Every structure is written in structure tokens, then in C-alpha cells.
Amino acid sequence: MIIDLHAHTLASDGTDTPAQLVAQADADGLDVVALTDHDTSAGWSEAIDAAERLGVGLLPGIEISCSWKGISVHLLGYLLDPADSALLAELEAARSSRDDRARRIVEKLAVDVPITWAQVEEQVGPGATIGRPHIADALVAADVVPDRTAAFDEYLYTGSPYYASHYAPDPVEAVRLVRAAGGVPVMAHPFAAKRGRLVPDSVIEDMARAGLFALEGDHPDHDAGQRAKAISLAADLGLFVTGSSDYHGSGKPWRLAACTTDPDVLEALLAEPTHRGIVRP
């Protein structure tokens, strides 16, 4: 089985519609793909319809943007109740803050480069929360940079003169929220140092005690040493290890199934108590 448990669509910062994501998974021979847009389940219905029509296994999920003492942490939550009130309140607070943060970044950028808020809005799918990738796409459209990677390297990296922070839930609390909403929490790319500062292992230990299921060890942003560390720490903490491409369509170079999850790990995930089940092929 070919299983990819981390992919994005236009509902957040990918470039495919949810139906296109599922169709791409089908074309690439995947057995199961997870839809994990940032802080939203808006693409689930369309993706589920496509998965049932095409016979592709679909794992509905979200990717929650968290923060620990200013360090970004991403938490994947699978098979949760998208209408859970406590979780929705946190996601709405984060989305509202991310929108304000994006405006502040654009205001700073506009002093030095030709970019407007209207140009950024043109890059955003219906209902999606505006984030740095959309600002990057606006910079590409304005011929300021050639692609998203260059936009982040030159203008949008954490700590850049144009950077602005935003509210995000604590990762340990986010694990509890996902569990309370009937979901299965997995820490995304935990040792991807190229993305910025990393939380200490003690935070991951606290997340494990709160109900973390796995570490996303096999990820395009992890080198061999970082993957080995994920496997070792997961073993120490009694966690599973997943693998995922973090697919964003044309927004990033990684293709579906660039990294994959072992079928036994998926079965263990599905054996967890959840709000809903996988859409099976």
C-alpha cells in the first residue's frame, strides 16, 4: 500500500482543489491520502465525494499551527469532529490572528517591494485563511521573485525584517483538544531545522503524555539524521512514526508519496478511538 498522510489544497495553501488532490492521488497510484489543510476542514466534503467516486482511501484531517515560546509547532489531527466547539474556538482565534498578521507583513513589504493586499487576496482560495504562502504567491505574480521558495528565502523567513507573529495554541493543549474532539494527533516534521528553531525534546515528551500518537519522521524536510532522531525518540516515548510528502500541489516541489507511511502504522491509527472513519477504497 502507498499511504501519504499529509497534503494540502486550496482550502489552505495548496494549489489543487480537494477533488484535484484526490484525483492526483489516484493518478499516482496512492491507496490512501490524508487531507490536512491548515486550521480548517473546509475541503473535506469535496475530497470525500471525489474519494468515493474514484475509489481512493481518504483520511480527513487538519494541520493545527501551534506555538511554544515563539517557536512554531505543527500538529496533524486525523479523524476528528470538525464541529467540536472547543477546537473550533481555538482554530477561529488562530485564523483571525493569522489574517491580521498577514496584513502586517504586507504593510512592511509594501515599503520596499511592489505588493498590495488586493494582490495577495487574488492568490487565496474561497474560505482559506491567508498565510505567508499566499503572500509568496503574490510576490511571484508581481515578478518580485521566481517562486515560493525564493520568496521565503528572501522575504518571508522567520526573523526577517518583514516577519510578524500571530496567536497559536500551545502544542500540548492542542494535542488534548484533538483527542477531546475524537481525533488522532501526530506531530508534523518535528526536527525540520531548516524551517526555524525547534522545541526541546521535553515539549515532545509533554505532548506524548497528553496523548500524541506519532511523530512524522519521514518527511522531505528531514535529513537522514533527523529521521533517525524521530525514530529513536518515538521508540523512547512509545509513539509511532509516520511518513508524508507535505504535498502542496505546485506550491512546493514535493510530489505525493515522496515520503510514505507503513500500512501497519495506518492500521494502528485507525484502531484509535475516533469521531469518524477513513473513506475506504
Side-chain angles (χ1 to χ4, degrees), residues 47-98:
I48 289 170
D49 287 346
E52 291 175 341
R53 184 176 69 254
L54 295 173
V56 176
L58 178 74
L59 201 69
I62 60 174
E63 183 173 11
I64 303 173
S65 305
C66 306
S67 180
W68 182 85
K69 297 186 177 180
I71 300 175
S72 178
V73 179
H74 286 187
L75 184 74
L76 299 162
Y78 302 105
L79 304 174
L80 48 76
D81 179 1
D84 180 83
S85 59
L87 180 63
L88 280 176
E90 277 297 293
L91 295 181
E92 180 54 38
R95 279 196 293 267
S96 176
S97 179
R98 283 164 71 91

Side-chain angles (χ1 to χ4, degrees), residues 5 9 11 13 22 38 42 60 64 83 132 157 160 165 182 190-191 220 224 232 240 246 248 252 267 275:
L5 296 186
T9 74
D13 57 345
V22 175
H38 290 284
I64 303 173
R132 284 184 293 172
Y157 60 90
S160 107
S165 61
F191 302 117
S232 176
F240 289 91
D246 204 350
H248 282 69
K252 289 185 178 181
E267 286 306 310
H275 170 70

Side-chain angles (χ1 to χ4, degrees), residues 178-197:
V178 169
R179 284 292 188 183
V184 184
V186 173
M187 186 179 184
H189 39 73
F191 302 117
K194 64 174 64 177
R195 289 172 172 255
R197 294 183 298 153

